[in-house]
Amino acid sequence: MKRPLIAASVLSADFARLGEELALLEQSGADLIHLDLMDGHYVPNLSFGMPIIKSIRAHTKLPLDAHLMVSNPSFYIEPLAELGVSWVTFHPDTEPHSHRLLHRIRQLGMKAGVALNPSEDTDQLKWLLPELDYVLLMSVNPGFSGQSFIPGIIDKAIGLKEMIRHSGYEIEIQVDGGVTGDNAQQLIDAGVTILVSASYIFNHPNYAQAIQNLRGNTYV
Ligand code: DX5
Ligand code: ZN
């Protein structure tokens, strides 16, 4: 599959028109639907849970990418697999047995990832690398869409790319938060292969144009 993948986060969608929004994202060339699960505990916001994900699954053919911003991620892995979610990330500071949880996600047939907050170092990934399909680098502090991109993440992505290259594993890098047409190319050049975007896509009058802007100029 060509890279970068564009993961449209429905956090900025019009939830009263979710079916139409999903159809529009699909027509506009989005590759993944990014689902931000928040429990009002790990992050100071609530979003949505399984009933909404079930409806989303029924209304799009696109693969679903769940980003768990919750205090007990292990509670949600089986239900997400049952609903047909394909990609799952959790924050390792919410799970004392990250290695085991990654393994379980893969056993259930999903791609497994961890999400690092802006303050967290990639060094902690060293012993998780064999269990990872992707790493999500947060480029805002998690909890809300529409925040400004933290530019230091570009260097973090470059360092992570090097760490992955050195390890020999095939692990993708996803960046999430404040991603726009203005910083997408820099991220792609840094080795990021999956760009998450909510407000940039949903605030754009033309979703297809927004997604095209996010692809940058090296879509291969
Ligand atoms: C933030 C979420 C993001 C959010 C991105 O905690 O993880 O996925 O929806 O929103 P934008 O693209 O508007 O920064
Ligand atoms: Zn997210």
Side-chain angles (χ1 to χ4, degrees), residues 7-12 34-38 43 45 67-69 91 117 136 138-149 175-180 196-203:
S9 162
V10 290
L11 197 57
S12 293
H34 183 84
L35 305 171
D36 288 303
L37 279 78
M38 305 180 187
V43 289
N45 197 8
H67 173 195
L68 298 178
M69 286 163 277
H91 285 253
N117 289 324
L136 185 168
M138 290 298 311
S139 37
V140 298
N141 286 291
F144 303 92
S145 56
Q147 303 181 80
S148 303
F149 182 79
V175 165
D176 183 8
V179 176
T180 68
V196 178
S197 172
S199 54
Y200 179 70
I201 296 176
F202 286 98
N203 291 341

Side-chain angles (χ1 to χ4, degrees), residues 37 48 121 133:
L37 279 78
F48 50 79
D121 207 292
D133 294 301

Side-chain angles (χ1 to χ4, degrees), residues 77 82 151 200:
I77 303 305
E82 277 165 29
Y200 179 70

Side-chain angles (χ1 to χ4, degrees), residues 90-125:
F90 63 91
H91 285 253
D93 56 346
T94 61
E95 172 54 56
H97 305 292
S98 295
H99 189 278
R100 180 160 61 199
L101 192 56
L102 287 168
H103 193 72
R104 199 159 115 225
I105 293 170
R106 278 183 162 177
Q107 271 183 327
L108 289 164
M110 301 182 288
K111 289 185 190 285
V114 290
L116 296 184
N117 289 324
S119 63
E120 292 178 307
D121 207 292
T122 51
D123 282 357
Q124 65 178 291
L125 300 176

Side-chain angles (χ1 to χ4, degrees), residues 17-91:
R17 297 174 38 250
L18 198 47
E20 288 166 52
E21 294 273 53
L22 290 165
L24 200 50
L25 289 170
E26 204 166 314
Q27 284 162 28
S28 303
D31 299 297
L32 305 172
I33 299 297
H34 183 84
L35 305 171
D36 288 303
L37 279 78
M38 305 180 187
D39 64 353
H41 188 230
Y42 180 63
V43 289
N45 197 8
L46 287 165
S47 56
F48 50 79
M50 301 306 154
I52 303 275
I53 296 174
K54 191 174 177 189
S55 299
I56 290 175
R57 180 63 295 166
H59 282 86
T60 180
K61 292 193 290 293
L62 294 176
L64 304 181
D65 169 38
H67 173 195
L68 298 178
M69 286 163 277
V70 301
S71 292
N72 292 293
S74 65
F75 291 0
Y76 306 100
I77 303 305
E78 266 83 10
L80 289 171
E82 277 165 29
L83 287 178
V85 167
S86 319
W87 303 60
V88 179
T89 52
F90 63 91
H91 285 253

